[in-house]
């Protein structure tokens, strides 16, 4: 299945999701046992693809390490106070083999799940981890040339950074800014043998899904890998890692979507190396910790770059949005990230306001009371996104203007969507104070008619004179963290609906 332009993706922690749905049976379900109603519910959100995070075989060796690690144990118990030994199942990013774990039903069960999703028009996203494998992965025995190796002296000098395997002494996986991860061994991204082996792996994985989310994708770029490993990795190849493996994989799977988990402002570089989408972590940080002006500056980047960003306010690596943002701030950030160019990512539990970040080592999460108001909000938001032209239309950042004695317009961000059959205006107050502005609309044909503005989030409707909109812009007044998602359509000379609060024509400078 070829995924649509600007897809909406829903991430599921496979182990936790199956455990929760199997409680009536007294055991976790396998992927081929999921009731049709559960797949129907995902399709009804509505989304375009489901990312089943963590389906591959987890490492018994990695599990032993995780169970012995006091920091990991403390994090697991903080998330799950009634933790049982069987709840710790190991990391999905400590991959023993790219074969579906038998606890989830194995390859046949995944194939059944993919059919169930495809029957509902949904694609399937899976993981690939380029930087490292489990210490009991087959390559530690059969392909030592694919690993970053060390010596007995290295192991004695730094036992936290090296480990003895069947292939000899190898380095533990790491990135350049943190200590090594205790449960994985480092692949050598400069190795021609690794690139050849990885291509075979990705072709096999690509036959089982419609897209790949590539973990910490920037770690295997030539510049970052050389900085991390220096002479130990050998000379950098003339060609980058990702163009090599992506091009070879796409020769077999031309429609396979490649998604990069990307940090350190590496998004543009990874886009140029072949990725369709890259995480927009910078926007997440700005929404969580910075001002509306910071967000507006971010959105002034080149349109071709923004088209290939994946926006989110929560995923399995980040704290829960409900625990990071205030309730109203979380809604404002959700409206902003859901209505921009590029793709959208949502995380299972985000719509219900779950607050506990569940470590990926766990196969069970805590019970939490769902927030029914938040769930209703997300239902309206996702339906508005699905029904509008956000997939195929043209996006434009709008100027927000104020008055000499009122600079509250700086707290607002606004943009427009223009499609073949519809127009939309989104305005968001990214602050904890009220704000007013004149939003300049980009459409040249506003004059000469009356326009109906229908808010897709709360159902309110307003009518505004097109000549006034063209001359002065749309006056907007929003409370703290409030937003509008306005569908705009000409209505001729019908009687006005009146001046409801929030959108109107100001009596004068506020």
């Amino acid at each position: 299945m070829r995924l649509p332009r600007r897809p909406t993706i829903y991430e599921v922690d496979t182990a936790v999701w199956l455990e929760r749905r199997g409680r009536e049976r007294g055991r976790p379900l396998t992927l081929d046992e999921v009731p049709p109603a559960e797949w129907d519910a995902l399709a009804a959100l509505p989304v375009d693809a489901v990312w089943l995070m963590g389906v591959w075989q987890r490492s018994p060796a990695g599990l032993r390490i995780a169970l012995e690690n006091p920091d990991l144990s403390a994090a697991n118990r903080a998330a799950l106070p009634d933790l049982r030994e069987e709840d710790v199942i190991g990391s999905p990013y400590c991959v023993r083999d790219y074969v579906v774990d038998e606890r989830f039903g194995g390859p046949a069960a995944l194939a059944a799940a993919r059919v169930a999703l495809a029957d509902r028009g949904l694609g399937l996203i899976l993981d690939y981890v380029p930087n490292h494998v489990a210490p009991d992965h087959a390559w530690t025995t059969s392909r030592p040339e694919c690993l970053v190796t060390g010596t007995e002296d290295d192991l004695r000098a730094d036992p936290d950074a090296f480990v003895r395997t069947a292939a000899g002494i190898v380095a533990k996986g790491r990135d350049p800014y943190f200590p090594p991860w205790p449960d994985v061994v480092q692949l050598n991204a400069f190795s021609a043998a690794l690139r050849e082996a990885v291509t075979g792996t990705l072709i096999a994985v690509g036959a089982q899904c419609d897209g790949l989310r590539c973990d910490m994708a920037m770690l295997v770029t030539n510049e970052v890998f050389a900085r991390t490993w220096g002479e130990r990795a050998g000379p950098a190849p003339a060609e980058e890692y990702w163009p090599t493996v992506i091009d070879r994989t796409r020769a077999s799977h031309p429609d396979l979507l490649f998604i990069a988990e990307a940090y350190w402002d590496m998004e543009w570089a990874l886009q140029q190396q072949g990725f369709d989408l890259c995480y927009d972590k910078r926007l997440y940080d700005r929404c969580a910790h910075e001002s509306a002006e910071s967000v507006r500056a971010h959105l002034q980047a080149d349109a071709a770059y923004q088209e290939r960003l994946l926006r989110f306010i929560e995923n399995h690596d980040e704290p829960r949005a409900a625990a990071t943002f205030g309730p109203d701030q979380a809604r404002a950030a959700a409206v902003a990230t859901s209505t921009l160019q590029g793709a959208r990512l949502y995380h299972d539990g985000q719509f219900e306001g779950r607050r506990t970040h569940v470590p990926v080592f766990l196969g069970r999460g805590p019970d939490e009371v769902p927030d029914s108001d938040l769930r209703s909000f997300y239902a309206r938001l996702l339906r508005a996104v699905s029904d509008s032209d956000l997939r195929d239309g043209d996006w434009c950042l709008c100027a927000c203007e104020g008055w000499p004695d009122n600079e509250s317009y700086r707290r607002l961000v606004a943009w427009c969507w223009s499609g073949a059959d519809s127009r939309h205006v989104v305005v968001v107050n990214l602050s904890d104070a009220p704000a007013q502005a004149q939003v300049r609309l980009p459409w040249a044909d506003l004059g000469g008619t009356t326009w109906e503005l229908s808010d897709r989030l709360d159902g309110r409707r307003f009518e505004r004179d097109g000549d006034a909109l063209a001359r002065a812009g749309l006056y907007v007044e929003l409370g703290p963290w409030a937003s509008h998602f306005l569908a705009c359509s000409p209505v001729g000379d019908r009687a006005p609906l009146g001046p409801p609060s929030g959108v109107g024509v100001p009596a004068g400078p506020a």
Side-chain angles (χ1 to χ4, degrees):
M1 174 186 295
R2 185 180 183 88
L3 291 173
R5 184 185 182 197
R6 303 169 180 151
T8 299
I9 300 169
Y10 190 77
E11 180 192 2
V12 165
D13 182 325
T14 304
V16 173
W17 191 73
L18 291 174
E19 188 278 333
R20 195 176 300 279
R21 277 144 190 83
R23 288 182 182 177
E24 289 187 1
R25 300 193 188 187
R27 62 167 178 82
L29 299 181
T30 55
L31 285 165
D32 54 347
E33 295 175 327
V34 174
E38 297 290 349
W39 301 123
D40 292 341
L42 292 175
L45 285 173
V47 296
D48 301 304
V50 174
W51 168 16
L52 289 177
M53 189 277 289
V55 302
W56 306 123
Q57 282 185 8
R58 303 184 189 212
S59 162
L63 174 58
R64 287 193 297 272
I65 294 169
L67 289 171
E68 295 169 359
N69 187 298
D71 292 335
L72 294 179
S73 296
N76 291 338
R77 191 164 296 281
L80 199 59
D82 62 339
L83 183 71
R84 305 183 298 254
E85 183 176 349
E86 61 268 25
D87 292 327
V88 184
I89 62 175
S91 170
Y93 296 101
C94 179
V95 178
R96 187 184 193 187
D97 198 359
Y98 284 93
V99 175
V100 179
D101 202 304
E102 286 301 321
R103 65 166 43 91
F104 307 134
L110 179 68
R114 188 184 184 192
V115 169
L117 290 168
D119 286 346
R120 293 159 176 80
L122 302 181
L124 173 63
I125 310 292
L126 299 177
D127 292 290
Y128 166 60
V129 186
N131 187 63
H132 49 260
V133 292
D136 50 356
H137 188 282
W139 290 351
T140 63
T141 300
S142 63
R143 304 297 297 270
E145 68 275 17
C146 294
L147 307 173
V148 174
T149 59
T151 66
E152 293 286 350
D153 289 342
D154 291 324
L155 181 60
R156 281 193 296 270
D158 195 354
D160 290 334
F162 293 87
V163 63
R164 189 184 306 279
T165 71
I169 309 301
V170 298
K172 294 182 181 179
R174 59 167 299 187
D175 78 22
Y177 299 112
F178 293 95
W181 294 294
D183 59 343
V184 293
V185 297
Q186 181 67 49
L187 296 171
N188 188 347
F190 289 172
S191 165
L194 175 72
R195 295 181 180 198
E196 188 67 32
V198 162
T199 299
T201 297
L202 291 185
I203 290 172
V205 170
Q208 302 173 68
C209 64
D210 306 294
L212 282 176
R213 179 266 189 190
C214 298
D215 184 71
M216 300 286 280
M218 68 285 176
L219 292 183
V220 293
T221 61
N222 283 359
E223 184 270 326
V224 174
F225 200 78
R227 174 156 45 90
T228 307
W229 292 104
E231 294 181 358
R232 193 179 293 278
E239 188 174 22
E240 289 277 356
Y241 176 96
W242 287 115
T244 302
V245 301
I246 289 176
D247 289 350
R248 293 175 184 175
T249 303
R250 283 209 171 116
S252 297
H253 307 297
D255 293 334
L256 190 65
L257 185 79
F258 277 85
I259 303 170
E261 180 191 21
Y263 305 106
W264 315 332
D265 296 321
M266 294 286 291
E267 298 86 356
W268 174 253
L270 288 165
Q271 289 178 5
Q272 303 316 297
Q273 292 182 24
F275 279 96
D276 300 289
L277 297 170
C278 294
Y279 273 35
D280 193 358
K281 179 63 160 58
R282 183 65 66 187
L283 179 62
Y284 169 87
D285 289 336
R286 291 178 190 239
C287 286
H289 308 297
E290 300 179 24
S291 67
E293 291 182 297
S294 173
V295 172
R296 187 182 306 108
H298 183 74
L299 299 179
Q300 292 172 356
D302 182 75
Y305 166 72
Q306 294 200 61
E307 280 288 353
R308 295 165 70 181
L309 293 175
L310 180 64
R311 326 281 191 167
F312 58 87
I313 61 169
E314 180 177 309
N315 62 61
H316 73 268
D317 285 315
E318 304 294 345
R320 288 289 195 179
T324 302
F325 302 86
D328 294 332
Q329 183 188 12
R331 285 169 167 79
V335 172
T337 55
S338 297
T339 58
L340 294 170
Q341 291 171 286
R344 295 156 292 279
L345 173 65
Y346 303 101
H347 185 208
D348 189 43
Q350 177 179 339
F351 301 161
E352 293 75 32
R354 291 187 179 274
R355 301 180 63 85
T356 301
H357 178 259
V358 180
V360 294
F361 295 87
L362 295 181
R364 181 170 67 96
D367 292 325
E368 299 183 61
V369 178
D371 183 334
S372 58
D373 288 340
L374 184 63
R375 187 158 49 192
S376 296
F377 161 79
Y378 270 111
R380 295 191 299 272
L381 176 60
L382 266 71
R383 178 52 60 189
V385 168
S386 178
D387 291 346
S388 65
D389 281 308
L390 271 62
R391 181 170 295 163
D392 300 310
D394 296 320
W395 179 90
C396 177
L397 186 65
C398 296
C400 295
E401 299 174 353
W403 301 269
D405 59 346
N406 183 353
E407 292 194 344
S408 66
Y409 72 93
R410 298 181 183 275
R411 302 172 188 146
L412 301 179
V413 290
W415 43 86
C416 290
W417 283 95
S418 304
D421 301 311
S422 66
R423 301 176 182 184
H424 291 83
V425 180
V426 177
V427 190
V428 185
N429 182 353
L430 292 176
S431 80
D432 59 0
Q436 302 85 34
Q438 298 285 161
V439 177
R440 291 291 180 178
L441 305 180
W443 303 309
D445 58 350
L446 289 169
T449 190
T450 300
W451 289 82
E452 179 182 271
L453 312 178
S454 177
D455 198 317
R456 303 298 303 272
L457 297 179
D458 61 18
R460 290 183 297 167
R461 293 188 301 137
F462 323 102
E463 286 187 2
R464 295 294 170 258
D465 176 70
D467 292 328
L469 292 176
R471 181 178 64 255
L474 174 67
Y475 174 74
V476 175
E477 181 175 354
L478 287 170
W481 308 116
S483 58
H484 287 303
F485 187 161
L486 301 169
C488 308
S489 57
V491 295
D493 296 324
R494 297 187 317 177
L497 299 173
S501 62
V503 177
V505 179

